[in-house]
Amino acid sequence: MLRLPQFELIEPSSLYGALAALAEHGPDAMVLAGGTDLLPNMKHGLFEPRMLVSLAGIEELRGVQVTSEGGLSIGAMTPLADVADHPEVRRRAPALAQAAGLVAGPQLRSMGTLGGNVMLDTRCQWYNQTHFWRQALGFCLKKDGTVCHVVAGGKRCVAAASNDSVPALTTLGASLRFERLGQARTIAIDELWHSDGANNKRTEGGEILTRIEIPATPAGHLGAYGKLRDRGSIDFPLLGMAVRLDLDDQGLVEHADQVVVALVARPVRIKGVHEALLGLRPGSADFEQALVPLAEAARRQCRPMANIPGDEDWRREMVAVFTRRTFLAAAEGASD
Amino acid sequence: MRVIRFVLNGDPVETAAPAHWTLLELLRYGLKLTGSKQGCDKGDCGACTVLVGGKPILACLSLAARAEGQEITTIEGLMPLHKSRGGSGADPVQEAFDACGALQCGFCQPGMMLSTRALLNQHPQPSREQIQAALSGNLCRCTGYTQILQAVETAIAQSTGAPAPQPAWARDRELQGQEPQS
């Protein structure tokens, strides 16, 4: 049995109420979205906030809207199941719909939110464990200890960014709106990350991620998300990969992108993807031929570590397999 | 302590729980409804699945306060709710799980049956793939999945009047050229 430590629960019904509560209680308070990451982490003794500010009752943070420019504006508290099933998300941002639909299992997708997935804590097999388990090993860099069990002598935490939604949002050029009492800022999702697994996000105290904004995708936009995991459900990614292909009116690639997660503390954009696929026709022999060196280049650029379950050499080999597989899955959208 | 009012298995409930209690703890230790199982207690296994507003969620990762104003169904409510809609006996899902022997230790069953009930309320005639997807958040560590899928398909057959699917063991015997035993 895993019990939650004691805390006080604040349940504002407006964003203003939540921001005011965070401003009042400072570092004593943490934000609770769907609870599917924070609550198990609290049960493991990884966080012991004196207060939780629940966003569950704030209607203005829910829902998917199509903007006047044809982009998407998604409230941070929109459940992942709703993102996965939303017809406009599926049409305009297929990689995001696929990724949201591959997070965990059905119950957790109804509970977990898109904003919560973006703000997910990094994961490591030496960290996401009970206090008893971690204590037996003398704790680790990320929590309560001074050594890293992944990298001998390591001084920087290498826990893995494991957010399924982030590769898709990054290829889509999403931006994130953060609000604190009396202030708001919008940053590109690329700018959120540090490469320190102990705290891999550039956020400030008292902030809440309120919206995820996705610019309009062109008519020839294709996307796909590939997820490596032991089972077909429930698991966090052992490797997560989003690809993007934008086709011109001739059906030729005019923009290509690929972002990988569950390697190191931050998402990794593969270099040279655009140049490798530019001007090719998805489904053609040339396109498939170009994926062979691209898969090898992606494999060379990705260095999975022994931070999450799954042999790291196997995960590295699977980068090449998933590069080919995910681009082919995206290309299939061209024939629809 | 926080006062919590909600509808549990069709009946209004007014109770109270400390802020750090989960919905599962409220159900099991506050309201003494031990049908919702405490398995992994961290969102892996699905044994604590309950329906909130008809949707399956995990009670072990929901705060008790989340119940406020909601309609919650636990395994204890399946039969009374079935009867309140004019049915007789247990919910057809429960009958089918019993008839198909869709359990070994039984620990996953409440969650399995609630995920099944939620699926059938939404899609009365789901495909095998839809059934597998709907149950993919519920683990059976006895790995009795074949009988569980058969039980769901039997419950569907009963509701539509179609003949029940043949048990997996009978198909195996046919493949081996033996007559299935009645």
Side-chain angles (χ1 to χ4, degrees), chain A residues 239 241 291-292 294-296 298-299 315-325:
Chain A
L239 185 69
M241 179 186 295
L291 292 179
V292 177
L294 178 58
E296 173 56 20
R299 190 191 68 82
R315 282 161 53 217
R316 191 172 192 197
E317 293 306 313
M318 292 307 278
V319 170
V321 173
F322 269 71
T323 297
R324 194 170 165 279
R325 217 180 258 181

Side-chain angles (χ1 to χ4, degrees), chain A residues 178-319:
Chain A
F178 287 92
E179 294 189 46
R180 60 198 297 195
L181 199 60
Q183 286 176 41
R185 66 181 180 125
T186 300
I187 61 165
I189 193 168
D190 274 333
E191 294 166 21
L192 182 64
W193 314 105
H194 283 300
S195 48
D196 181 2
N199 175 14
N200 75 337
K201 296 175 201 73
R202 296 173 204 274
T203 51
E204 293 158 26
E207 275 190 332
I208 296 176
L209 170 61
T210 55
R211 299 205 78 79
I212 294 102
E213 311 278 356
I214 299 170
T217 47
H221 171 78
L222 302 171
Y225 182 68
K227 177 169 179 171
L228 173 68
R229 54 180 170 184
D230 286 335
R231 302 174 286 202
S233 184
I234 305 175
D235 299 333
F236 280 95
L238 302 179
L239 185 69
M241 179 186 295
V243 306
R244 172 177 186 160
L245 294 170
D246 290 347
L247 310 186
D248 62 18
D249 48 15
Q250 309 292 312
L252 306 178
V253 174
E254 62 176 1
H255 176 64
D257 196 8
Q258 178 185 11
V259 176
V260 186
V261 80
L263 303 165
V264 289
R266 55 171 301 153
V268 173
R269 172 169 268 132
I270 304 299
K271 298 185 186 79
V273 173
H274 179 72
E275 296 74 12
L277 299 178
L278 187 66
L280 299 176
R281 183 181 301 279
S284 70
D286 285 350
F287 181 81
E288 291 194 21
Q289 201 66 48
L291 292 179
V292 177
L294 178 58
E296 173 56 20
R299 190 191 68 82
R300 280 201 307 273
Q301 289 176 47
C302 293
R303 292 189 175 75
M305 307 185 85
N307 44 10
I308 52 176
D311 178 83
E312 62 271 26
D313 292 331
W314 172 64
R315 282 161 53 217
R316 191 172 192 197
E317 293 306 313
M318 292 307 278
V319 170

Side-chain angles (χ1 to χ4, degrees), chain A residues 1-3 43, chain B residues 20-43 45-50 57-67 72 74 107:
Chain A
M1 186 194 296
L2 295 169
R3 301 297 307 270
K43 286 184 171 190
Chain B
H20 67 284
W21 274 31
T22 62
L23 177 57
L24 184 62
E25 288 165 339
L26 175 66
L27 292 169
R28 287 181 62 86
Y29 308 120
L31 300 169
K32 310 291 182 203
L33 293 178
T34 53
S36 306
K37 298 301 178 213
Q38 199 158 15
C40 68
D41 230 355
K42 58 192 180 72
C45 75
C48 66
T49 301
V50 299
I57 60 117
L58 301 180
C60 77
L61 294 187
S62 302
L63 295 182
R66 187 194 159 100
I72 294 183
T74 68
F107 203 78

Side-chain angles (χ1 to χ4, degrees), chain B residues 69-137:
Chain B
Q70 301 284 346
E71 275 193 29
I72 294 183
T73 306
T74 68
I75 192 66
E76 288 89 350
L78 273 194
M79 185 158 137
L81 289 172
H82 176 62
K83 285 188 167 163
S84 74
R85 288 192 294 264
S88 63
D91 187 289
V93 171
Q94 291 172 302
E95 299 279 6
F97 271 69
D98 179 25
C100 297
L103 80 162
Q104 287 183 44
C105 81
F107 203 78
C108 72
Q109 263 211 322
M112 286 284 183
M113 292 194 282
L114 285 165
S115 286
T116 303
R117 176 40 61 213
L119 170 70
L120 298 188
N121 286 349
Q122 212 188 350
H123 301 286
Q125 293 187 55
S127 65
R128 173 62 75 104
E129 287 71 28
Q130 284 174 309
I131 299 168
Q132 286 172 327
L135 296 183
S136 66

Side-chain angles (χ1 to χ4, degrees), chain A residues 137-204:
Chain A
L137 284 160
F139 299 110
C140 79
L141 266 184
K142 184 162 162 72
K143 177 67 183 167
D144 300 328
T146 54
V147 296
C148 180
H149 302 291
V150 178
V151 180
K155 292 286 171 233
R156 186 171 232 196
C157 175
V158 293
S162 303
N163 341 44
D164 280 303
S165 66
V166 163
L169 288 171
T170 308
T171 61
L172 289 160
S175 52
L176 308 174
R177 181 176 170 83
F178 287 92
E179 294 189 46
R180 60 198 297 195
L181 199 60
Q183 286 176 41
R185 66 181 180 125
T186 300
I187 61 165
I189 193 168
D190 274 333
E191 294 166 21
L192 182 64
W193 314 105
H194 283 300
S195 48
D196 181 2
N199 175 14
N200 75 337
K201 296 175 201 73
R202 296 173 204 274
T203 51
E204 293 158 26

